[in-house]
Amino acid sequence: MYNIIIYIYLFGVAIASLFSKKVKKMWQGEREAFDVLRSKVDPNAQYVWFHAASLGEFEQGRPIMERLRKEHPEYKILLTFFSPSGYEVRKNYEGADIICYLPLDTPLNARRFLRTIRPVMAFFIKYEFWYNYLHILKHRGIPTYSVSSIFRDGQIFFRWYGHQYGRVLKCFTHFFVQNEKSRQLLAGIGITNVSISGDTRFDRVLEIKQQAKKLDIVEAFVEDAFRSSGVQECRSADNSLASNSSTKKVFVAGSSWQPDEEIFIKYFNEHPDWKLIIAPHVIGESHLQQIIKQLDMPVVRYTKTTSEEARNARCLIIDCFGLLSSIYKYGTVSYVGGGFGVGIHNVLEAAVWNIPVIFGPNNERFAEAQGLKRVGGGFEISDYDSFASVMNGFIADEASLNAAGSAASDFVKSQAGATDVVLKGIKL
């Protein structure tokens, strides 16, 4: 049944590629993957295979890839993606020797792929459970690990009708899961080769913080708020924000969508004592113009401005990729979008910078958001009024703002260490 579904999906992708640029990229990338492998695979090398569906999963696997590469240079790294949103952003990543799309999980593709690569071990990040690839890996005795995985009651593996597909879980050598609930669910279906490692994203965001870029345009924009060459000089010894009522504060909205923007833009149109940085999730001209039309304040775009122009603006729109994780360091309060859609984006990239994080209501499936709420570093909003209530509270009580920021940062630090657990638990 699984293979029938895969072939139906394959036909659907071929049709959809005629109408969608994103699907077309994926379809072409999958078909070209074997050409990439033929031209780049070193038959004398030992490959460790990492598979990530998209960019978020890549970031979870990245700390393991980079530690493995550093500590075991005898191995080469193969990195595969399923989604263009991961591959297109990281196709030039220097931490892997070969990067390509993963051919769709048909029996023929899986056999051909693994015969070409002959990996010595494989890592599947978070939610990746490809039936044919995994069964062939097990048949060939290749150690295969599920990293930063998380399981929930509603998943097919734990339903009466999902037992057959659930056999795919028996193919893994070991699971490194994020929490106790996941371990219990797996134990309930007889899978005990499990360790609770936590989420490698916490390790990754701490690394990202150390590698943050200095952004001259952003620093000019926030000069009123931070009157220095960087935000860090405006934080006190305990990492709280230095109090200075005469300066503007900075609100950073990352990965925002239209429902998010309609809420926070309305608020800051009425609060001229704040500066606003917006890094939308979709960087298309129509969406950028839609944002600009809502703004009742001087606005500039990152790629179309100068430091002098940015210094005199009240809103800076980030109209390019790759800067957001560094931009959060300039914030007083952050907002992470997606919570009014399919789910929130990466709240940890903001929390690591000692600032509170606000997000929309669709966050139940995100353990990191639940953790931030629990410790007082994350704040869920459902509409304009609830957003205004949170912001008004921060404005009225700066001590609570500082405490929330410290709680967010402390939470990230407390959850670090998953990479060490994984590397100690694998067979090298």
Side-chain angles (χ1 to χ4, degrees), residues 125-137:
I125 312 301
K126 197 172 183 180
Y127 290 134
E128 294 300 277
F129 307 107
W130 295 108
Y131 191 90
N132 291 308
Y133 282 106
L134 287 166
H135 275 85
I136 297 172
L137 285 165

Side-chain angles (χ1 to χ4, degrees), residues 48-51 78 80 102 113-114 121-124 133 137:
V48 178
W49 173 27
F50 285 83
H51 177 65
L78 165 68
T80 60
L102 180 67
F113 180 90
L114 292 170
M121 71 183 76
F123 292 85
F124 287 73
Y133 282 106
L137 285 165

Side-chain angles (χ1 to χ4, degrees), residues 74-94:
E74 66 271 24
Y75 296 121
K76 289 195 173 185
I77 303 294
L78 165 68
L79 170 63
T80 60
F81 288 98
F82 179 75
S83 168
S85 58
Y87 175 79
E88 293 298 328
V89 176
R90 294 302 181 194
K91 60 187 176 184
N92 297 316
Y93 170 59
E94 295 181 353

Side-chain angles (χ1 to χ4, degrees), residues 37-84:
L37 295 175
R38 272 196 303 270
S39 66
K40 294 189 176 182
V41 167
D42 178 354
N44 299 313
Q46 290 185 303
Y47 285 93
V48 178
W49 173 27
F50 285 83
H51 177 65
S54 191
L55 189 59
E57 289 79 12
F58 163 79
E59 291 295 338
Q60 287 177 296
R62 184 170 178 170
I64 302 169
M65 275 187 278
E66 294 183 351
R67 281 276 299 277
L68 191 67
R69 193 176 183 86
K70 179 180 179 181
E71 297 175 9
H72 295 275
E74 66 271 24
Y75 296 121
K76 289 195 173 185
I77 303 294
L78 165 68
L79 170 63
T80 60
F81 288 98
F82 179 75
S83 168

Side-chain angles (χ1 to χ4, degrees), residues 7 25 66 92 139 196 250 258 276 304 339 348:
Y7 282 114
K25 284 182 178 180
E66 294 183 351
N92 297 316
H139 177 73
I196 301 173
V250 180
Q258 182 179 347
L276 175 60
K304 299 179 181 296
L348 300 179

